[in-house]
Amino acid sequence: TRFFFTATSRSEETCFQTLFPVPLRAVLFDMDGTLSDSETLHWRAYSNVFKREFPSFPANPISRRYYNTNIGGRTKSYSVAQILPNLPPSEVSRICIELEKEFEGLARKDLKCLPGVKELLQEVVCAGRQIALVTNAPPTEMAFSLACLDLSNCFDVRVAAGDAPQPKPHPAPYVEGLRRLGVRAKEAIAFEDSLAGVRSAVSAGLVTVGITTSQPAEELVRAGAAVAVADMADPRLRASMRLALREPPRT
């Protein structure tokens, strides 16, 4: 496999420098905060549910900073159990259901793809590459979100909560995605928005592009992302992807 570097530019926040495999055989995408700014809706869901269910919770109302630091990118069951360690397992499960219902109510109205998502997916498909979705969301929420975004039929492989032995930030979800795709990490790239997700993908050996919906660019790069961009419409990212997709994948 050959490699190339994109052009490097420096801003006040971060240095964009990345390395993509050529030829590129597969692209793996996180869902929440990567395909859409759904993390904002999840934050609102947590804020609404916690105010209703736990009015004396010290962090109420849950701020976006608190959400990004303690919740974003992790499974609901893990987050709720960590935030409320004395909550019985049955109550953790109930709160997770309430959070999913609250999110769905918000998403029906406000969930939309981030700029460049559908165009990039189309480019990857037209180039004959495989696409995987790797998320910590439960299968029902994954299916609901993809339907809202009109992306239900876009992915060759889906890995949801429970499909791997450990959730993100463990590398297991991305390792499972690569296994199902039948490709090696050095033949693929990942897109992620959370620190947990970036650490998962990088630990699985994937060159990872950070999307800054949930975390500042410098934090994503510090976690291991090769580059951090606002969305998939970034012209430097698109130029780099076109170069990586130019050469046909080896069979």
Side-chain angles (χ1 to χ4, degrees):
T1 303
R2 295 186 293 107
F3 295 92
F4 72 93
F5 284 92
T6 64
T8 302
S9 64
R10 186 175 296 276
S11 69
E12 292 180 358
E13 293 187 347
T14 190
C15 177
F16 290 87
Q17 185 180 29
T18 190
L19 181 69
F20 289 164
V22 178
L24 181 66
R25 292 188 60 198
V27 184
L28 296 86
F29 294 89
D30 171 51
M31 186 174 72
D32 291 311
T34 300
L35 300 180
S36 68
D37 190 15
S38 53
E39 291 291 4
T40 295
L41 303 185
H42 283 294
W43 161 51
R44 289 167 57 190
Y46 269 87
S47 182
N48 293 344
V49 169
F50 270 61
K51 281 190 292 185
R52 183 171 68 240
E53 298 285 343
F54 309 105
S56 61
F57 180 62
N60 277 342
I62 291 177
S63 68
R64 184 60 190 264
R65 182 172 183 177
Y66 182 93
Y67 174 87
N68 289 347
T69 302
N70 299 283
I71 300 169
R74 300 169 178 87
T75 62
K76 289 181 178 63
S77 58
Y78 176 87
S79 297
V80 173
Q82 289 295 305
I83 294 169
L84 300 168
N86 296 323
L87 202 65
S90 60
E91 277 296 284
V92 170
S93 298
R94 185 183 70 82
I95 294 301
C96 289
I97 292 171
E98 290 299 312
L99 288 167
E100 191 167 340
K101 289 178 181 177
E102 189 76 19
F103 169 77
E104 289 182 0
L106 296 168
R108 285 189 181 95
K109 179 182 177 182
D110 295 331
L111 191 64
K112 298 177 179 64
C113 283
L114 286 170
V117 167
K118 291 188 176 181
E119 293 82 359
L120 182 60
L121 286 169
Q122 185 65 28
E123 286 184 11
V124 176
V125 170
C126 289
R129 271 46 168 197
Q130 296 187 87
I131 304 176
L133 184 72
V134 182
T135 176
N136 268 349
T140 52
E141 187 177 294
M142 175 186 68
F144 172 83
S145 294
L146 291 179
C148 287
L149 297 171
D150 195 25
L151 297 177
S152 296
N153 299 318
C154 289
F155 298 93
D156 301 295
V157 162
R158 299 181 186 182
V159 178
D163 288 339
Q166 297 287 337
K168 304 173 190 176
H170 196 279
Y174 278 102
V175 171
E176 177 63 14
L178 291 167
R179 186 191 70 79
R180 294 185 184 187
L181 289 169
V183 302
R184 296 171 294 177
K186 67 180 182 179
E187 300 171 319
I189 61 171
F191 285 83
E192 270 286 356
D193 74 297
S194 69
L195 299 182
V198 168
R199 289 171 182 140
S200 174
V202 171
S203 296
L206 287 156
V207 171
T208 303
V209 178
I211 304 295
T212 60
T213 52
S214 302
Q215 295 289 338
E218 60 268 23
E219 292 297 325
L220 294 169
V221 172
R222 189 174 295 120
V227 64
V229 296
D231 53 53
M232 295 178 203
D234 185 278
R236 293 160 297 180
L237 171 66
R238 298 303 289 274
S240 300
M241 285 294 295
R242 290 188 186 106
L243 284 173
L245 294 170
R246 182 182 298 171
E247 185 173 334
R250 297 193 182 108
T251 57

